């Protein structure tokens, strides 16, 4: 009887770490990938230019351009027309800063 309990304990000790590394169920859809490609093409990146030696540089440059464009059109940074002294942080501001 003790050997059965010992076997169960050893088996559970081996199985628990495996389950902790399970992937999440969120998958990227085809529509999301296509939308990302459209965004990258809008900043000058062309899929399959035929030069695989410069692929990492080209995609990283396109992503940097896209990030710069998105940063310039977002509401972050820049001058503010209101001033708060001692005001708390709203839930929307907190989520915008720390949700990524």
């Amino acid at each position: 009887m003790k050997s059965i309990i010992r076997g169960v304990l050893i088996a559970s000790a081996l199985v628990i770490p495996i389950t902790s590394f399970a992937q999440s169920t969120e998958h990227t859809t085809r529509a999301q990938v296509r939308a990302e490609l459209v965004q990258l093409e809008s900043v000058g990146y062309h899929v399959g230019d035929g030069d695989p030696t410069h692929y990492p540089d080209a995609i990283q440059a396109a992503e940097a351009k896209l990030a710069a464009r998105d940063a310039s059109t977002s509401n972050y940074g820049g001058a503010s027309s209101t001033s708060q002294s001692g005001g708390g942080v709203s839930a929307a501001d907190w989520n915008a800063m720390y949700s990524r």
Side-chain angles (χ1 to χ4, degrees):
M1 190 68 175
K2 288 184 181 181
S3 63
I4 293 174
I5 294 173
R6 185 178 298 156
V8 169
L9 289 175
I10 291 172
S12 64
L14 294 174
V15 171
I16 290 173
I18 293 171
T19 60
S20 66
F21 291 111
Q23 294 180 352
S24 66
T25 59
E26 296 180 24
H27 298 287
T28 305
T29 64
R30 288 184 184 190
Q32 290 171 329
V33 172
R34 288 181 180 148
E36 289 176 10
L37 285 173
V38 167
Q39 288 178 342
L40 289 170
E41 289 174 349
S42 72
V43 293
Y45 178 74
H46 301 289
V47 178
D49 278 343
D51 189 10
T53 58
H54 296 290
Y55 165 74
D57 298 330
I59 191 73
Q60 288 172 351
E63 288 174 343
K65 287 179 188 177
L66 189 60
R69 184 185 73 184
D70 290 344
S72 68
T73 60
S74 72
N75 293 329
Y76 297 111
S80 176
S81 62
T82 61
S83 174
Q84 293 182 352
S85 177
V89 177
S90 70
D93 290 337
W94 181 267
N95 289 336
M97 290 188 291
Y98 298 106
S99 65
R100 296 181 195 254

